[in-house]
Amino acid sequence: IVHVVSATIIWMNQIALTAVLVPIAWFGLISSSGILTEIVVANLIDPFERRWGTLRVARWTTVWSAVGLLMVGLGVLLNNQWVVLVGIMPPFSILIGRKSMMRAQVNHHISSGQRATVLSAIEVVRKGMTGLTYIVMSIGLVWSPSIPLLVFGLLLVLVSVFSPIYRGKK
């Protein structure tokens, strides 16, 4: 859920930037900055995991992405370019690192005989969730670019608060 919802920033950042009248000439630099933050955070995930544990890092990346999506949504509502620009970076930043972290956890906890089937099933579910998320995003965009961003940000807040995984329960 976290990766799928966060990845919508790849599409939504341009819509949000257009809504707050950022010149199109800046879009490439902004997307490149998002990718740079993604690379930096991906290289920090492993040291963070060793220091604080996988569950804390998973929760932190969920909250971090939620804050960013909510900032972009509010920035569009308030017509504030700086809030949108700052808010774009958190969801971008977790994409590579979080996916790698979760894949490593699956590889660690699933026996090698079942690993290919489990990873394949996870990928099918992820693709289905991506399709559903894009539908929700498209429907929300009919009214305002801020609606899907705020909905996805609130969804991540709910995930971080109510997920039994983050509370240490399986």
Side-chain angles (χ1 to χ4, degrees), residues 13 16 19-20 35 52 58-59 66 87 94 101 107 111-112 114 116 121 135 139 155 169:
N13 83 78
V20 295
I35 292 166
W52 294 302
R59 176 174 266 169
I94 68 148
M101 178 181 74
N107 286 334
S111 67
S112 61
Q114 297 173 327
I135 291 168
I139 291 169
L155 175 64
K169 300 175 183 172

mmCIF file of all heavy atoms in Angstrom, residues 13 16 19-20 35 52 58-59 66 87 94 101 107 111-112 114 116 121 135 139 155 169:
data_model
loop_
_atom_site.group_PDB
_atom_site.id
_atom_site.type_symbol
_atom_site.label_atom_id
_atom_site.label_comp_id
_atom_site.label_asym_id
_atom_site.label_seq_id
_atom_site.Cartn_x
_atom_site.Cartn_y
_atom_site.Cartn_z
ATOM 1 N N ASN A 13 3.023 14.862 -9.221
ATOM 2 C CA ASN A 13 3.855 16.042 -9.001
ATOM 3 C C ASN A 13 3.678 17.048 -10.129
ATOM 4 O O ASN A 13 3.590 18.243 -9.883
ATOM 5 C CB ASN A 13 5.322 15.657 -8.764
ATOM 6 C CG ASN A 13 6.123 15.429 -10.017
ATOM 7 O OD1 ASN A 13 6.551 16.365 -10.680
ATOM 8 N ND2 ASN A 13 6.369 14.168 -10.335
ATOM 9 N N ALA A 16 0.267 18.758 -9.703
ATOM 10 C CA ALA A 16 0.306 19.698 -8.581
ATOM 11 C C ALA A 16 1.122 20.944 -8.942
ATOM 12 O O ALA A 16 0.722 22.070 -8.634
ATOM 13 C CB ALA A 16 0.877 19.020 -7.341
ATOM 14 N N ALA A 19 -0.865 23.123 -11.117
ATOM 15 C CA ALA A 19 -1.943 23.783 -10.370
ATOM 16 C C ALA A 19 -1.458 25.009 -9.614
ATOM 17 O O ALA A 19 -2.214 25.966 -9.437
ATOM 18 C CB ALA A 19 -2.597 22.797 -9.396
ATOM 19 N N VAL A 20 -0.193 24.990 -9.156
ATOM 20 C CA VAL A 20 0.331 26.150 -8.416
ATOM 21 C C VAL A 20 1.212 27.037 -9.296
ATOM 22 O O VAL A 20 1.976 27.860 -8.801
ATOM 23 C CB VAL A 20 1.080 25.723 -7.126
ATOM 24 C CG1 VAL A 20 0.118 25.082 -6.140
ATOM 25 C CG2 VAL A 20 2.265 24.823 -7.429
ATOM 26 N N ILE A 35 14.276 12.126 -7.637
ATOM 27 C CA ILE A 35 15.027 10.890 -7.866
ATOM 28 C C ILE A 35 16.318 10.895 -7.055
ATOM 29 O O ILE A 35 16.715 9.869 -6.496
ATOM 30 C CB ILE A 35 15.294 10.696 -9.373
ATOM 31 C CG1 ILE A 35 13.967 10.416 -10.082
ATOM 32 C CG2 ILE A 35 16.296 9.588 -9.625
ATOM 33 C CD1 ILE A 35 14.020 10.529 -11.592
ATOM 34 N N TRP A 52 17.651 1.106 14.106
ATOM 35 C CA TRP A 52 16.324 1.215 14.718
ATOM 36 C C TRP A 52 15.404 0.025 14.462
ATOM 37 O O TRP A 52 14.319 -0.040 15.034
ATOM 38 C CB TRP A 52 15.629 2.492 14.240
ATOM 39 C CG TRP A 52 16.329 3.728 14.724
ATOM 40 C CD1 TRP A 52 16.571 4.060 16.024
ATOM 41 C CD2 TRP A 52 16.873 4.769 13.944
ATOM 42 N NE1 TRP A 52 17.238 5.255 16.089
ATOM 43 C CE2 TRP A 52 17.436 5.714 14.819
ATOM 44 C CE3 TRP A 52 16.941 5.014 12.583
ATOM 45 C CZ2 TRP A 52 18.055 6.869 14.380
ATOM 46 C CZ3 TRP A 52 17.561 6.170 12.146
ATOM 47 C CH2 TRP A 52 18.107 7.077 13.045
ATOM 48 N N ALA A 58 10.010 1.025 8.665
ATOM 49 C CA ALA A 58 8.794 0.883 7.851
ATOM 50 C C ALA A 58 7.749 1.909 8.281
ATOM 51 O O ALA A 58 7.127 2.561 7.435
ATOM 52 C CB ALA A 58 8.241 -0.540 7.967
ATOM 53 N N ARG A 59 7.559 2.059 9.568
ATOM 54 C CA ARG A 59 6.589 3.057 10.048
ATOM 55 C C ARG A 59 7.042 4.473 9.697
ATOM 56 O O ARG A 59 6.257 5.293 9.244
ATOM 57 C CB ARG A 59 6.375 2.941 11.548
ATOM 58 C CG ARG A 59 5.429 4.054 12.037
ATOM 59 C CD ARG A 59 5.062 3.930 13.461
ATOM 60 N NE ARG A 59 3.812 3.189 13.501
ATOM 61 C CZ ARG A 59 3.281 2.703 14.587
ATOM 62 N NH1 ARG A 59 3.899 2.835 15.730
ATOM 63 N NH2 ARG A 59 2.138 2.077 14.549
ATOM 64 N N ALA A 66 3.344 10.008 3.993
ATOM 65 C CA ALA A 66 2.034 10.612 4.284
ATOM 66 C C ALA A 66 2.171 12.122 4.457
ATOM 67 O O ALA A 66 1.368 12.892 3.902
ATOM 68 C CB ALA A 66 1.429 9.998 5.546
ATOM 69 N N GLY A 87 6.854 19.222 -0.297
ATOM 70 C CA GLY A 87 6.044 18.025 -0.097
ATOM 71 C C GLY A 87 6.277 16.924 -1.120
ATOM 72 O O GLY A 87 6.073 15.743 -0.838
ATOM 73 N N ILE A 94 11.203 7.664 -0.667
ATOM 74 C CA ILE A 94 11.145 6.314 -0.082
ATOM 75 C C ILE A 94 10.989 5.202 -1.109
ATOM 76 O O ILE A 94 11.061 4.024 -0.760
ATOM 77 C CB ILE A 94 10.002 6.203 0.947
ATOM 78 C CG1 ILE A 94 8.646 6.295 0.258
ATOM 79 C CG2 ILE A 94 10.157 7.194 2.057
ATOM 80 C CD1 ILE A 94 7.583 5.490 0.928
ATOM 81 N N MET A 101 13.802 -2.793 0.938
ATOM 82 C CA MET A 101 13.724 -3.249 2.325
ATOM 83 C C MET A 101 12.658 -4.332 2.477
ATOM 84 O O MET A 101 12.886 -5.371 3.106
ATOM 85 C CB MET A 101 13.414 -2.058 3.236
ATOM 86 C CG MET A 101 13.252 -2.423 4.699
ATOM 87 S SD MET A 101 12.851 -0.978 5.728
ATOM 88 C CE MET A 101 11.146 -0.692 5.293
ATOM 89 N N ASN A 107 12.426 -12.128 1.392
ATOM 90 C CA ASN A 107 13.475 -13.106 1.110
ATOM 91 C C ASN A 107 14.004 -13.755 2.384
ATOM 92 O O ASN A 107 14.342 -14.936 2.395
ATOM 93 C CB ASN A 107 14.628 -12.455 0.339
ATOM 94 C CG ASN A 107 14.281 -12.184 -1.099
ATOM 95 O OD1 ASN A 107 13.435 -12.847 -1.685
ATOM 96 N ND2 ASN A 107 14.918 -11.183 -1.677
ATOM 97 N N SER A 111 10.912 -19.425 2.810
ATOM 98 C CA SER A 111 11.874 -20.445 2.395
ATOM 99 C C SER A 111 12.107 -20.361 0.888
ATOM 100 O O SER A 111 11.233 -19.951 0.124
ATOM 101 C CB SER A 111 11.369 -21.840 2.771
ATOM 102 O OG SER A 111 10.217 -22.160 2.018
ATOM 103 N N SER A 112 13.297 -20.773 0.463
ATOM 104 C CA SER A 112 13.667 -20.628 -0.940
ATOM 105 C C SER A 112 12.745 -21.408 -1.866
ATOM 106 O O SER A 112 12.523 -21.001 -3.008
ATOM 107 C CB SER A 112 15.125 -21.042 -1.159
ATOM 108 O OG SER A 112 15.301 -22.399 -0.803
ATOM 109 N N GLN A 114 9.547 -21.662 -1.673
ATOM 110 C CA GLN A 114 8.294 -20.936 -1.854
ATOM 111 C C GLN A 114 8.501 -19.483 -2.290
ATOM 112 O O GLN A 114 7.551 -18.790 -2.629
ATOM 113 C CB GLN A 114 7.504 -20.929 -0.549
ATOM 114 C CG GLN A 114 7.095 -22.307 -0.082
ATOM 115 C CD GLN A 114 6.466 -22.247 1.294
ATOM 116 O OE1 GLN A 114 6.844 -21.414 2.114
ATOM 117 N NE2 GLN A 114 5.516 -23.121 1.543
ATOM 118 N N ALA A 116 9.762 -17.824 -4.921
ATOM 119 C CA ALA A 116 9.340 -17.342 -6.243
ATOM 120 C C ALA A 116 7.827 -17.186 -6.303
ATOM 121 O O ALA A 116 7.321 -16.189 -6.839
ATOM 122 C CB ALA A 116 9.825 -18.297 -7.337
ATOM 123 N N ALA A 121 3.211 -13.614 -6.293
ATOM 124 C CA ALA A 121 1.889 -13.247 -5.766
ATOM 125 C C ALA A 121 1.890 -11.806 -5.258
ATOM 126 O O ALA A 121 0.940 -11.049 -5.501
ATOM 127 C CB ALA A 121 1.475 -14.202 -4.651
ATOM 128 N N ILE A 135 -7.140 4.486 -10.691
ATOM 129 C CA ILE A 135 -8.557 4.793 -10.896
ATOM 130 C C ILE A 135 -9.018 5.825 -9.866
ATOM 131 O O ILE A 135 -9.665 6.816 -10.208
ATOM 132 C CB ILE A 135 -9.420 3.513 -10.831
ATOM 133 C CG1 ILE A 135 -9.131 2.638 -12.043
ATOM 134 C CG2 ILE A 135 -10.910 3.859 -10.742
ATOM 135 C CD1 ILE A 135 -9.706 1.238 -11.949
ATOM 136 N N ILE A 139 -10.355 9.628 -10.688
ATOM 137 C CA ILE A 139 -11.666 10.106 -10.246
ATOM 138 C C ILE A 139 -11.509 11.370 -9.391
ATOM 139 O O ILE A 139 -12.231 12.344 -9.565
ATOM 140 C CB ILE A 139 -12.424 8.997 -9.487
ATOM 141 C CG1 ILE A 139 -12.816 7.887 -10.461
ATOM 142 C CG2 ILE A 139 -13.655 9.561 -8.781
ATOM 143 C CD1 ILE A 139 -13.330 6.621 -9.789
ATOM 144 N N LEU A 155 -4.769 7.972 3.893
ATOM 145 C CA LEU A 155 -4.699 6.507 3.880
ATOM 146 C C LEU A 155 -3.404 6.031 4.531
ATOM 147 O O LEU A 155 -3.411 5.093 5.340
ATOM 148 C CB LEU A 155 -4.802 5.985 2.443
ATOM 149 C CG LEU A 155 -4.613 4.480 2.260
ATOM 150 C CD1 LEU A 155 -5.707 3.691 2.968
ATOM 151 C CD2 LEU A 155 -4.552 4.119 0.786
ATOM 152 N N LYS A 169 2.406 -6.907 15.908
ATOM 153 C CA LYS A 169 1.546 -8.084 15.899
ATOM 154 C C LYS A 169 1.536 -8.662 14.506
ATOM 155 O O LYS A 169 1.610 -7.965 13.516
ATOM 156 C CB LYS A 169 0.117 -7.720 16.320
ATOM 157 C CG LYS A 169 0.064 -7.148 17.713
ATOM 158 C CD LYS A 169 -1.330 -6.704 18.044
ATOM 159 C CE LYS A 169 -1.330 -6.052 19.429
ATOM 160 N NZ LYS A 169 -2.597 -5.443 19.733
#
